[in-house]
Amino acid sequence: MMRKVLIANRGEIALRVICACKEMGLRTVAVYSEADQHSLHARFADEAICIGPPRSAESYLNVPAVISAAEIADVDAIHPGYGLLSENANFAEVCRASNIKFIGPPPEVTRLMGEKEKARQAMKRAKVPILPGSEGVLQNEGEGLEWAQTVGYPVILKASAGGGGRGMRVVRSAEELPGLFQAAQTEAANAFGNGDLYMEKFIERPRHIEFQVLADEHGTAMSLGERECSIQRRHQKLIEEAPSLQVTPKMREEIAKTLKRCMEGVGYQNAGTIEFLMDEDGKLYFIEMNTRIQVEHPVTEMITGIDLVKAQLQIAMGEKLSSIVREPVPMRGHAIECRVNAEHPEKFTPSAGKITAFNVPGFNGIRVDTAQYSEGVVPPYYDSLIAKVIAHGADREEAMARMRRALEMFIVEGIYTTIPLHQRIFRDEEFQRGEFDTKYMERFFEREKQRKAVEVVGI
Ligand code: MV4
Protein backbone atom coordinates (compact mmCIF):
# COMPACT_ATOMS: atom_id res chain seq x y z
CA MET A 1 0.00 0.00 0.00
CA MET A 2 1.25 3.47 -0.85
CA ARG A 3 -0.51 6.37 0.83
CA LYS A 4 2.24 8.79 1.81
CA VAL A 5 5.28 9.95 -0.18
CA LEU A 6 8.34 11.93 0.92
CA ILE A 7 9.84 14.18 -1.76
CA ALA A 8 13.62 14.26 -1.33
CA ASN A 9 14.17 17.36 -3.44
CA ARG A 10 13.48 21.09 -3.72
CA GLY A 11 12.46 23.70 -6.30
CA GLU A 12 10.23 23.08 -9.29
CA ILE A 13 10.70 19.29 -9.40
CA ALA A 14 9.65 18.90 -5.75
CA LEU A 15 6.50 20.88 -6.53
CA ARG A 16 5.95 18.87 -9.73
CA VAL A 17 5.99 15.62 -7.72
CA ILE A 18 3.68 17.13 -5.08
CA CYS A 19 1.21 18.02 -7.89
CA ALA A 20 1.17 14.42 -9.15
CA CYS A 21 0.69 13.06 -5.61
CA LYS A 22 -2.19 15.44 -4.90
CA GLU A 23 -3.95 14.39 -8.11
CA MET A 24 -3.60 10.76 -7.05
CA GLY A 25 -4.82 11.35 -3.51
CA LEU A 26 -1.43 10.57 -1.98
CA ARG A 27 -0.26 12.42 1.13
CA THR A 28 2.98 14.37 0.72
CA VAL A 29 5.92 15.13 2.99
CA ALA A 30 8.41 17.80 1.97
CA VAL A 31 11.92 18.08 3.38
CA TYR A 32 13.64 21.46 3.28
CA SER A 33 16.87 23.14 4.31
CA GLU A 34 17.05 26.24 6.51
CA ALA A 35 17.45 28.30 3.31
CA ASP A 36 14.17 26.91 1.93
CA GLN A 37 11.92 27.62 4.91
CA HIS A 38 9.64 29.84 2.81
CA SER A 39 9.72 27.68 -0.32
CA LEU A 40 6.54 26.56 -2.07
CA HIS A 41 7.41 22.87 -1.94
CA ALA A 42 7.43 23.08 1.87
CA ARG A 43 4.23 25.13 1.80
CA PHE A 44 2.15 22.94 -0.47
CA ALA A 45 3.11 19.55 0.97
CA ASP A 46 0.82 18.11 3.67
CA GLU A 47 3.78 18.03 6.05
CA ALA A 48 7.21 19.67 5.91
CA ILE A 49 10.31 18.73 7.87
CA CYS A 50 13.49 20.80 8.14
CA ILE A 51 16.47 18.48 7.57
CA GLY A 52 19.42 20.79 8.09
CA PRO A 53 21.51 23.82 7.15
CA PRO A 54 21.46 25.45 3.68
CA ARG A 55 24.34 23.55 2.08
CA SER A 56 23.07 20.48 0.14
CA ALA A 57 25.72 18.23 1.64
CA GLU A 58 24.23 18.93 5.08
CA SER A 59 20.56 18.73 4.07
CA TYR A 60 19.24 17.37 0.75
CA LEU A 61 22.26 15.05 0.33
CA ASN A 62 22.32 13.98 3.97
CA VAL A 63 21.04 10.39 3.77
CA PRO A 64 20.53 9.85 7.54
CA ALA A 65 18.61 13.17 7.76
CA VAL A 66 16.33 12.27 4.84
CA ILE A 67 15.72 8.72 6.12
CA SER A 68 15.02 10.01 9.65
CA ALA A 69 12.41 12.41 8.25
CA ALA A 70 10.85 9.53 6.29
CA GLU A 71 10.65 7.38 9.42
CA ILE A 72 9.28 10.18 11.63
CA ALA A 73 6.59 11.00 9.04
CA ASP A 74 5.98 7.28 8.49
CA VAL A 75 6.01 7.47 4.68
CA ASP A 76 5.68 4.48 2.37
CA ALA A 77 7.85 5.82 -0.42
CA ILE A 78 10.47 8.43 -1.39
CA HIS A 79 10.55 10.26 -4.72
CA PRO A 80 14.09 11.59 -5.31
CA GLY A 81 13.34 13.96 -8.25
CA TYR A 82 16.44 14.67 -10.38
CA GLY A 83 20.01 15.43 -9.25
CA LEU A 84 20.72 15.20 -5.48
CA LEU A 85 20.13 11.55 -4.37
CA SER A 86 18.25 10.43 -7.50
CA GLU A 87 21.06 8.30 -8.99
CA ASN A 88 22.67 7.26 -5.73
CA ALA A 89 22.43 3.45 -5.55
CA ASN A 90 23.54 3.45 -1.90
CA PHE A 91 20.62 5.70 -1.00
CA ALA A 92 18.19 3.36 -2.81
CA GLU A 93 19.71 0.49 -0.81
CA VAL A 94 19.23 2.32 2.49
CA CYS A 95 15.59 2.93 1.50
CA ARG A 96 15.16 -0.77 0.79
CA ALA A 97 16.75 -1.71 4.14
CA SER A 98 14.42 0.78 5.89
CA ASN A 99 11.37 -0.72 4.20
CA ILE A 100 10.69 2.46 2.21
CA LYS A 101 9.89 2.20 -1.49
CA PHE A 102 12.45 4.13 -3.60
CA ILE A 103 10.60 5.53 -6.62
CA GLY A 104 13.07 4.58 -9.33
CA PRO A 105 14.93 1.52 -10.59
CA PRO A 106 16.46 -1.14 -8.29
CA PRO A 107 19.92 -0.13 -6.92
CA GLU A 108 21.60 -2.89 -8.96
CA VAL A 109 20.46 -1.31 -12.23
CA THR A 110 21.37 2.22 -11.07
CA ARG A 111 24.83 0.92 -10.21
CA LEU A 112 25.23 -0.79 -13.61
CA MET A 113 24.24 2.37 -15.52
CA GLY A 114 26.47 4.52 -13.29
CA GLU A 115 29.49 2.59 -14.57
CA LYS A 116 29.44 4.02 -18.06
CA GLU A 117 31.68 1.41 -19.67
CA LYS A 118 29.66 -1.47 -18.16
CA ALA A 119 26.45 0.21 -19.36
CA ARG A 120 27.97 0.53 -22.83
CA GLN A 121 28.83 -3.18 -22.99
CA ALA A 122 25.37 -4.13 -21.65
CA MET A 123 23.77 -2.05 -24.43
CA LYS A 124 26.06 -3.64 -27.02
CA ARG A 125 24.97 -7.12 -25.92
CA ALA A 126 21.34 -6.02 -26.33
CA LYS A 127 22.11 -4.90 -29.92
CA VAL A 128 21.71 -1.18 -29.14
CA PRO A 129 24.15 0.56 -31.52
CA ILE A 130 27.24 1.95 -29.74
CA LEU A 131 30.18 3.94 -31.11
CA PRO A 132 33.32 2.03 -32.14
CA GLY A 133 35.66 1.96 -29.14
CA SER A 134 37.32 -0.03 -26.41
CA GLU A 135 35.82 -3.20 -24.97
CA GLY A 136 35.95 -2.76 -21.22
CA VAL A 137 38.09 -0.24 -19.38
CA LEU A 138 41.59 0.55 -20.63
CA GLN A 139 44.27 -1.10 -18.49
CA ASN A 140 47.02 1.36 -19.48
CA GLU A 141 47.95 3.91 -22.16
CA GLY A 142 49.45 1.16 -24.33
CA GLU A 143 46.03 -0.43 -24.58
CA GLY A 144 44.64 3.01 -25.34
CA LEU A 145 47.08 3.40 -28.24
CA GLU A 146 46.07 -0.02 -29.61
CA TRP A 147 42.34 0.75 -29.53
CA ALA A 148 42.90 4.17 -31.08
CA GLN A 149 44.75 2.44 -33.95
CA THR A 150 41.76 0.16 -34.50
CA VAL A 151 39.13 2.90 -34.18
CA GLY A 152 41.04 5.69 -35.95
CA TYR A 153 41.67 9.23 -34.66
CA PRO A 154 40.11 11.41 -33.35
CA VAL A 155 39.01 9.44 -30.30
CA ILE A 156 37.64 10.50 -26.93
CA LEU A 157 38.70 9.22 -23.51
CA LYS A 158 35.88 9.12 -20.98
CA ALA A 159 35.82 8.36 -17.25
CA SER A 160 33.76 5.25 -16.56
CA ALA A 161 32.56 6.78 -13.28
CA GLY A 162 31.94 10.16 -14.96
CA GLY A 163 29.08 11.13 -17.22
CA GLY A 164 27.49 14.41 -18.14
CA GLY A 165 30.70 15.61 -19.73
CA ARG A 166 33.03 15.38 -16.74
CA GLY A 167 36.50 13.87 -17.15
CA MET A 168 36.61 13.65 -20.95
CA ARG A 169 39.59 14.23 -23.29
CA VAL A 170 39.58 14.41 -27.09
CA VAL A 171 42.69 12.79 -28.57
CA ARG A 172 43.65 13.73 -32.15
CA SER A 173 46.95 11.84 -32.58
CA ALA A 174 49.05 9.05 -31.05
CA GLU A 175 51.59 11.65 -29.86
CA GLU A 176 49.08 13.35 -27.56
CA LEU A 177 47.54 10.17 -26.19
CA PRO A 178 49.93 9.35 -23.28
CA GLY A 179 49.70 12.86 -21.77
CA LEU A 180 45.92 13.09 -22.13
CA PHE A 181 45.49 9.54 -20.80
CA GLN A 182 47.41 10.43 -17.62
CA ALA A 183 45.53 13.72 -17.19
CA ALA A 184 42.11 12.09 -17.64
CA GLN A 185 42.96 9.21 -15.30
CA THR A 186 44.21 11.54 -12.54
CA GLU A 187 41.21 13.84 -12.93
CA ALA A 188 38.77 10.90 -12.78
CA ALA A 189 40.53 9.37 -9.76
CA ASN A 190 40.36 12.70 -7.90
CA ALA A 191 36.79 13.58 -8.91
CA PHE A 192 35.10 10.16 -8.66
CA GLY A 193 37.54 8.04 -6.63
CA ASN A 194 37.83 5.79 -9.69
CA GLY A 195 40.32 6.42 -12.51
CA ASP A 196 38.88 3.88 -15.00
CA LEU A 197 38.82 5.17 -18.57
CA TYR A 198 37.28 3.91 -21.82
CA MET A 199 37.53 5.08 -25.40
CA GLU A 200 35.13 5.95 -28.21
CA LYS A 201 35.42 7.28 -31.72
CA PHE A 202 35.00 11.07 -31.41
CA ILE A 203 32.07 12.67 -33.25
CA GLU A 204 33.01 16.28 -34.14
CA ARG A 205 29.55 17.86 -34.34
CA PRO A 206 27.04 15.51 -32.76
CA ARG A 207 23.44 16.10 -31.98
CA HIS A 208 22.31 15.02 -28.54
CA ILE A 209 19.10 12.99 -28.80
CA GLU A 210 17.62 11.03 -25.91
CA PHE A 211 14.77 8.53 -25.60
CA GLN A 212 12.31 8.44 -22.70
CA VAL A 213 11.50 4.97 -21.39
CA LEU A 214 9.06 3.61 -18.83
CA ALA A 215 9.22 0.12 -17.34
CA ASP A 216 6.87 -1.52 -14.87
CA GLU A 217 7.72 -4.03 -12.13
CA HIS A 218 6.30 -6.95 -14.12
CA GLY A 219 8.96 -7.05 -16.85
CA THR A 220 7.38 -4.76 -19.44
CA ALA A 221 9.15 -1.69 -20.86
CA MET A 222 8.37 0.83 -23.60
CA SER A 223 9.88 3.84 -25.31
CA LEU A 224 7.96 7.13 -25.46
CA GLY A 225 9.98 8.71 -28.21
CA GLU A 226 12.83 11.16 -28.26
CA ARG A 227 13.89 14.65 -27.19
CA GLU A 228 16.38 16.81 -29.07
CA CYS A 229 18.75 18.35 -26.46
CA SER A 230 21.66 19.70 -28.51
CA ILE A 231 21.30 23.31 -27.38
CA GLN A 232 23.51 23.42 -24.31
CA ARG A 233 26.33 25.44 -22.84
CA ARG A 234 29.07 23.92 -20.70
CA HIS A 235 27.11 20.65 -20.53
CA GLN A 236 24.04 22.48 -19.19
CA LYS A 237 21.06 22.12 -21.47
CA LEU A 238 19.27 25.37 -22.33
CA ILE A 239 16.52 24.28 -24.74
CA GLU A 240 14.96 20.88 -25.41
CA GLU A 241 12.28 19.84 -27.85
CA ALA A 242 10.21 16.88 -28.98
CA PRO A 243 10.00 15.33 -31.47
CA SER A 244 13.38 15.62 -33.22
CA LEU A 245 13.12 16.73 -36.86
CA GLN A 246 15.99 14.31 -37.63
CA VAL A 247 14.35 11.16 -36.29
CA THR A 248 12.07 9.50 -38.85
CA PRO A 249 9.04 7.42 -37.77
CA LYS A 250 10.92 4.33 -38.97
CA MET A 251 14.01 5.14 -36.82
CA ARG A 252 11.77 5.89 -33.83
CA GLU A 253 9.99 2.56 -34.22
CA GLU A 254 13.24 0.63 -34.60
CA ILE A 255 14.86 2.27 -31.55
CA ALA A 256 11.67 1.68 -29.55
CA LYS A 257 11.79 -2.04 -30.35
CA THR A 258 15.48 -2.30 -29.41
CA LEU A 259 15.09 -0.30 -26.19
CA LYS A 260 12.07 -2.31 -25.09
CA ARG A 261 14.05 -5.55 -25.44
CA CYS A 262 17.11 -4.00 -23.79
CA MET A 263 15.30 -2.46 -20.80
CA GLU A 264 13.38 -5.69 -20.20
CA GLY A 265 16.68 -7.58 -20.46
CA VAL A 266 18.49 -5.53 -17.80
CA GLY A 267 15.46 -5.56 -15.47
CA TYR A 268 14.89 -1.83 -15.69
CA GLN A 269 12.03 -0.34 -13.64
CA ASN A 270 10.36 3.08 -13.54
CA ALA A 271 11.29 6.11 -15.73
CA GLY A 272 14.64 6.41 -17.46
CA THR A 273 16.40 8.14 -20.33
CA ILE A 274 18.75 6.65 -22.91
CA GLU A 275 21.15 9.22 -24.35
CA PHE A 276 22.37 8.96 -27.93
CA LEU A 277 24.68 10.96 -30.14
CA MET A 278 23.62 11.45 -33.74
CA ASP A 279 26.54 11.69 -36.17
CA GLU A 280 26.73 13.81 -39.33
CA ASP A 281 25.10 10.94 -41.30
CA GLY A 282 22.05 10.87 -39.02
CA LYS A 283 23.01 7.59 -37.31
CA LEU A 284 22.27 7.18 -33.59
CA TYR A 285 24.73 5.71 -31.08
CA PHE A 286 24.10 5.02 -27.37
CA ILE A 287 26.35 7.00 -24.99
CA GLU A 288 24.84 6.72 -21.51
CA MET A 289 21.69 6.11 -19.52
CA ASN A 290 20.11 8.33 -16.84
CA THR A 291 18.13 6.39 -14.25
CA ARG A 292 15.85 9.23 -13.09
CA ILE A 293 13.09 11.59 -14.20
CA GLN A 294 14.77 14.40 -16.16
CA VAL A 295 14.44 18.17 -16.11
CA GLU A 296 13.13 18.13 -19.69
CA HIS A 297 10.44 15.45 -19.18
CA PRO A 298 7.59 17.96 -19.85
CA VAL A 299 8.25 18.13 -23.61
CA THR A 300 7.51 14.41 -23.83
CA GLU A 301 4.43 14.86 -21.63
CA MET A 302 3.09 17.62 -23.87
CA ILE A 303 3.27 15.61 -27.11
CA THR A 304 2.22 12.22 -25.67
CA GLY A 305 -0.33 13.39 -23.11
CA ILE A 306 1.26 11.03 -20.55
CA ASP A 307 1.91 12.32 -17.02
CA LEU A 308 5.37 10.82 -16.48
CA VAL A 309 5.58 11.56 -12.75
CA LYS A 310 2.14 10.04 -12.17
CA ALA A 311 3.34 7.04 -14.21
CA GLN A 312 6.38 6.78 -11.91
CA LEU A 313 4.12 6.64 -8.87
CA GLN A 314 1.74 4.13 -10.47
CA ILE A 315 4.67 1.90 -11.44
CA ALA A 316 5.99 2.08 -7.86
CA MET A 317 2.54 1.02 -6.65
CA GLY A 318 2.87 -2.12 -8.78
CA GLU A 319 0.54 -1.15 -11.62
CA LYS A 320 1.12 -2.67 -15.04
CA LEU A 321 2.31 -0.47 -17.90
CA SER A 322 -0.65 -1.69 -19.96
CA SER A 323 -3.01 -0.04 -17.47
CA ILE A 324 -0.96 3.20 -17.29
CA VAL A 325 -0.22 3.85 -20.97
CA ARG A 326 -2.73 3.29 -23.76
CA GLU A 327 -1.07 2.21 -27.01
CA PRO A 328 -0.35 3.37 -29.61
CA VAL A 329 1.19 6.37 -27.80
CA PRO A 330 0.22 9.51 -29.73
CA MET A 331 2.88 12.00 -30.89
CA ARG A 332 0.82 15.15 -31.11
CA GLY A 333 2.37 18.37 -32.40
CA HIS A 334 5.64 19.84 -31.17
CA ALA A 335 6.88 20.99 -27.75
CA ILE A 336 9.86 23.16 -26.79
CA GLU A 337 11.21 23.90 -23.32
CA CYS A 338 13.40 26.82 -22.21
CA ARG A 339 15.27 26.45 -18.94
CA VAL A 340 15.14 29.78 -17.16
CA ASN A 341 18.19 30.06 -14.93
CA ALA A 342 18.97 32.75 -12.38
CA GLU A 343 22.33 33.87 -13.72
CA HIS A 344 24.25 36.91 -14.85
CA PRO A 345 23.89 37.39 -18.64
CA GLU A 346 27.61 37.90 -19.36
CA LYS A 347 29.39 36.22 -16.50
CA PHE A 348 27.02 33.20 -16.44
CA THR A 349 27.49 33.14 -12.67
CA PRO A 350 24.50 32.30 -10.44
CA SER A 351 22.36 35.32 -9.55
CA ALA A 352 20.89 34.85 -6.10
CA GLY A 353 18.58 37.30 -4.36
CA LYS A 354 15.03 38.39 -3.81
CA ILE A 355 12.55 38.38 -6.68
CA THR A 356 10.72 41.71 -6.59
CA ALA A 357 8.25 41.12 -9.45
CA PHE A 358 7.15 37.86 -11.05
CA ASN A 359 4.59 37.47 -13.84
CA VAL A 360 4.22 33.94 -15.16
CA PRO A 361 3.00 33.62 -18.77
CA GLY A 362 0.17 31.29 -19.68
CA PHE A 363 -2.67 31.03 -22.18
CA ASN A 364 -2.81 28.68 -25.18
CA GLY A 365 -0.12 26.03 -25.31
CA ILE A 366 2.06 27.42 -22.52
CA ARG A 367 3.03 25.52 -19.40
CA VAL A 368 5.38 26.95 -16.77
CA ASP A 369 6.90 24.67 -14.13
CA THR A 370 8.27 26.80 -11.31
CA ALA A 371 8.42 26.99 -7.52
CA GLN A 372 9.24 30.71 -7.55
CA TYR A 373 6.99 33.63 -6.68
CA SER A 374 7.06 37.39 -6.20
CA GLU A 375 8.97 38.33 -3.01
CA GLY A 376 10.49 34.84 -3.06
CA VAL A 377 14.22 34.35 -2.60
CA VAL A 378 16.64 32.48 -4.86
CA PRO A 379 19.27 31.07 -2.46
CA PRO A 380 22.89 30.86 -3.63
CA TYR A 381 23.37 27.25 -2.52
CA TYR A 382 21.59 25.25 -5.23
CA ASP A 383 21.37 24.92 -9.01
CA SER A 384 20.21 28.05 -10.76
CA LEU A 385 17.09 26.69 -12.51
CA ILE A 386 14.11 28.82 -11.42
CA ALA A 387 11.51 27.98 -14.07
CA LYS A 388 10.84 25.93 -17.18
CA VAL A 389 8.72 27.45 -19.93
CA ILE A 390 7.19 24.78 -22.15
CA ALA A 391 5.42 25.72 -25.38
CA HIS A 392 3.23 23.24 -27.23
CA GLY A 393 1.85 23.79 -30.72
CA ALA A 394 0.46 21.92 -33.71
CA ASP A 395 3.92 22.16 -35.29
CA ARG A 396 7.38 23.60 -34.50
CA GLU A 397 6.45 27.00 -35.98
CA GLU A 398 3.45 27.37 -33.67
CA ALA A 399 5.44 26.17 -30.64
CA MET A 400 8.15 28.76 -31.40
CA ALA A 401 5.63 31.57 -31.84
CA ARG A 402 4.02 30.69 -28.51
CA MET A 403 7.42 30.53 -26.80
CA ARG A 404 8.37 33.99 -28.13
CA ARG A 405 5.28 35.65 -26.71
CA ALA A 406 5.57 33.70 -23.44
CA LEU A 407 9.19 34.85 -22.97
CA GLU A 408 8.08 38.43 -23.69
CA MET A 409 5.37 38.19 -21.02
CA PHE A 410 7.55 36.48 -18.40
CA ILE A 411 8.54 39.23 -15.94
CA VAL A 412 11.26 38.47 -13.40
CA GLU A 413 12.69 41.46 -11.54
CA GLY A 414 15.28 41.64 -8.77
CA ILE A 415 17.62 38.97 -10.16
CA TYR A 416 19.22 38.27 -13.54
CA THR A 417 17.80 35.42 -15.64
CA THR A 418 18.45 33.73 -18.99
CA ILE A 419 15.12 34.99 -20.42
CA PRO A 420 16.85 37.64 -22.62
CA LEU A 421 19.27 34.97 -23.91
CA HIS A 422 16.35 32.70 -24.84
CA GLN A 423 14.68 35.61 -26.65
CA ARG A 424 17.81 36.12 -28.74
CA ILE A 425 18.05 32.40 -29.56
CA PHE A 426 14.42 32.35 -30.71
CA ARG A 427 15.23 35.21 -33.13
CA ASP A 428 18.23 33.30 -34.54
CA GLU A 429 17.77 31.86 -38.04
CA GLU A 430 19.94 28.80 -37.49
CA PHE A 431 17.79 27.91 -34.48
CA GLN A 432 14.58 28.61 -36.41
CA ARG A 433 15.69 26.26 -39.21
CA GLY A 434 16.38 23.57 -36.59
CA GLU A 435 19.92 23.22 -37.93
CA PHE A 436 21.97 22.80 -34.80
CA ASP A 437 24.33 20.46 -33.01
CA THR A 438 26.12 20.55 -29.64
CA LYS A 439 28.43 23.37 -30.91
CA TYR A 440 25.43 25.65 -31.64
CA MET A 441 25.87 27.98 -28.64
CA GLU A 442 29.55 28.61 -29.46
CA ARG A 443 28.58 29.66 -32.99
CA PHE A 444 25.67 31.71 -31.64
CA PHE A 445 27.88 33.74 -29.28
CA GLU A 446 30.49 34.15 -32.04
CA ARG A 447 27.80 35.53 -34.40
CA GLU A 448 26.61 37.96 -31.72
CA LYS A 449 30.19 39.16 -31.13
CA GLN A 450 30.70 39.75 -34.86
CA ARG A 451 27.43 41.68 -35.08
CA LYS A 452 28.38 43.87 -32.10
CA ALA A 453 31.83 44.58 -33.64
CA VAL A 454 30.14 45.71 -36.86
CA GLU A 455 27.82 48.00 -34.88
CA VAL A 456 30.76 49.63 -33.06
CA VAL A 457 32.65 50.31 -36.30
CA GLY A 458 29.40 51.75 -37.63
CA ILE A 459 28.86 49.83 -40.85
C1 MV4 B 1 30.94 12.50 -27.03
C2 MV4 B 1 31.13 13.54 -27.97
C3 MV4 B 1 31.67 13.21 -29.19
N1 MV4 B 1 32.03 11.94 -29.46
N2 MV4 B 1 31.32 11.25 -27.35
C4 MV4 B 1 29.41 15.21 -23.42
C5 MV4 B 1 28.42 14.88 -22.35
C6 MV4 B 1 28.47 13.40 -22.24
N3 MV4 B 1 27.20 12.88 -21.85
C7 MV4 B 1 28.92 12.93 -23.58
N4 MV4 B 1 29.48 14.07 -24.24
C8 MV4 B 1 30.02 13.96 -25.47
N5 MV4 B 1 30.41 12.72 -25.83
C9 MV4 B 1 31.84 10.99 -28.53
N6 MV4 B 1 32.21 9.74 -28.81
C10 MV4 B 1 30.72 14.82 -27.62
C11 MV4 B 1 30.17 15.05 -26.36
C12 MV4 B 1 29.74 16.39 -26.09
C13 MV4 B 1 28.40 16.68 -25.92
C14 MV4 B 1 27.42 15.70 -25.95
C15 MV4 B 1 26.10 16.00 -25.74
C16 MV4 B 1 25.73 17.31 -25.51
C17 MV4 B 1 26.67 18.30 -25.47
C18 MV4 B 1 28.01 18.00 -25.66
C19 MV4 B 1 28.96 19.01 -25.61
C20 MV4 B 1 30.29 18.71 -25.79
C21 MV4 B 1 30.68 17.40 -26.03
Side-chain angles (χ1 to χ4, degrees), residues 208 229-239 437-442:
H208 177 132
C229 305
S230 299
I231 303 212
Q232 53 77 44
R233 193 191 55 205
R234 298 174 193 174
H235 302 297
Q236 288 296 324
K237 293 167 188 162
L238 280 170
I239 299 175
D437 54 68
T438 53
K439 295 251 167 71
Y440 169 83
M441 287 309 293
E442 286 166 48

XYZ file of all heavy atoms in Angstrom, residues 208 229-239 437-442:
158
model
N 22.605 15.799 -29.736
C 22.308 15.019 -28.539
C 20.818 14.708 -28.570
O 19.995 15.601 -28.447
C 22.685 15.827 -27.291
C 22.355 15.135 -26.008
N 23.240 15.028 -24.975
C 21.247 14.509 -25.607
C 22.678 14.365 -23.990
N 21.454 14.045 -24.351
N 18.170 17.545 -27.561
C 18.746 18.347 -26.463
C 20.101 18.936 -26.819
O 20.957 19.108 -25.942
C 18.896 17.484 -25.217
S 17.381 16.687 -24.690
N 20.328 19.249 -28.083
C 21.665 19.696 -28.507
C 22.009 21.092 -28.022
O 23.190 21.438 -27.942
C 21.771 19.656 -30.031
O 21.589 18.326 -30.495
N 20.985 21.921 -27.740
C 21.302 23.310 -27.381
C 21.680 23.378 -25.915
O 20.834 23.371 -25.024
C 20.127 24.236 -27.730
C 19.857 24.061 -29.226
C 20.445 25.687 -27.347
C 19.369 25.218 -29.964
N 22.986 23.405 -25.679
C 23.506 23.417 -24.311
C 24.761 24.269 -24.259
O 25.351 24.578 -25.283
C 23.785 21.995 -23.835
C 24.684 21.177 -24.771
C 26.128 21.523 -24.680
O 26.660 21.684 -23.600
N 26.782 21.665 -25.822
N 25.113 24.660 -23.043
C 26.330 25.436 -22.835
C 27.035 24.880 -21.617
O 26.410 24.756 -20.558
C 25.943 26.912 -22.625
C 27.094 27.874 -22.701
C 26.634 29.219 -22.224
N 26.053 29.073 -20.887
C 25.154 29.881 -20.361
N 24.693 30.874 -21.044
N 24.714 29.671 -19.151
N 28.286 24.525 -21.780
C 29.069 23.916 -20.700
C 28.331 22.724 -20.088
O 28.206 22.613 -18.858
C 29.359 24.943 -19.606
C 30.193 26.117 -20.120
C 30.306 27.145 -19.044
N 30.818 28.392 -19.569
C 30.918 29.504 -18.866
N 30.535 29.512 -17.606
N 31.392 30.604 -19.403
N 27.810 21.873 -20.936
C 27.111 20.649 -20.534
C 25.831 20.927 -19.740
O 25.288 20.031 -19.111
C 28.035 19.696 -19.780
C 29.241 19.313 -20.605
N 29.114 18.612 -21.783
C 30.563 19.557 -20.454
C 30.320 18.429 -22.311
N 31.216 18.996 -21.528
N 25.352 22.168 -19.782
C 24.044 22.482 -19.194
C 23.075 22.727 -20.337
O 23.293 23.626 -21.144
C 24.128 23.740 -18.309
C 24.870 23.538 -16.994
C 24.183 22.546 -16.078
O 22.967 22.474 -16.005
N 24.992 21.731 -15.392
N 22.020 21.924 -20.399
C 21.057 22.123 -21.472
C 20.325 23.441 -21.274
O 20.053 23.839 -20.144
C 20.046 20.966 -21.487
C 20.688 19.635 -21.866
C 19.758 18.469 -21.574
C 20.491 17.157 -21.772
N 19.784 16.037 -21.108
N 20.011 24.102 -22.394
C 19.272 25.371 -22.329
C 17.879 25.224 -22.928
O 16.929 25.830 -22.443
C 20.030 26.449 -23.121
C 21.208 27.122 -22.435
C 21.988 27.970 -23.435
C 20.711 28.015 -21.299
N 17.788 24.462 -24.026
C 16.517 24.283 -24.739
C 16.396 22.813 -25.149
O 17.375 22.216 -25.590
C 16.469 25.179 -26.003
C 16.590 26.655 -25.606
C 15.207 24.920 -26.827
C 16.681 27.626 -26.771
N 23.664 21.599 -33.617
C 24.334 20.460 -33.005
C 24.863 20.968 -31.668
O 24.540 22.091 -31.270
C 25.461 19.945 -33.917
C 26.424 21.043 -34.297
O 27.150 21.523 -33.405
O 26.436 21.478 -35.475
N 25.689 20.165 -30.992
C 26.121 20.547 -29.644
C 27.077 21.744 -29.640
O 27.390 22.278 -28.594
C 26.785 19.357 -28.932
O 27.812 18.847 -29.780
C 25.785 18.253 -28.654
N 27.551 22.187 -30.834
C 28.431 23.368 -30.913
C 27.621 24.633 -31.215
O 28.198 25.710 -31.424
C 29.489 23.150 -32.013
C 30.448 22.008 -31.723
C 31.843 22.550 -31.386
C 32.739 21.491 -30.778
N 33.150 20.484 -31.746
N 26.283 24.518 -31.245
C 25.435 25.652 -31.641
C 25.697 26.906 -30.811
O 25.869 27.995 -31.357
C 23.948 25.264 -31.553
C 23.034 26.460 -31.691
C 22.686 26.967 -32.934
C 22.542 27.121 -30.551
C 21.882 28.086 -33.060
C 21.734 28.238 -30.663
C 21.401 28.720 -31.914
O 20.614 29.831 -32.028
N 25.727 26.787 -29.483
C 25.868 27.982 -28.638
C 27.192 28.716 -28.882
O 27.228 29.935 -28.838
C 25.704 27.644 -27.149
C 24.269 27.346 -26.726
S 23.056 28.590 -27.214
C 23.551 29.990 -26.227
N 28.263 27.964 -29.144
C 29.552 28.606 -29.464
C 29.409 29.464 -30.714
O 29.854 30.608 -30.746
C 30.643 27.547 -29.690
C 31.111 26.881 -28.400
C 31.914 25.616 -28.658
O 32.839 25.653 -29.506
O 31.603 24.579 -28.026
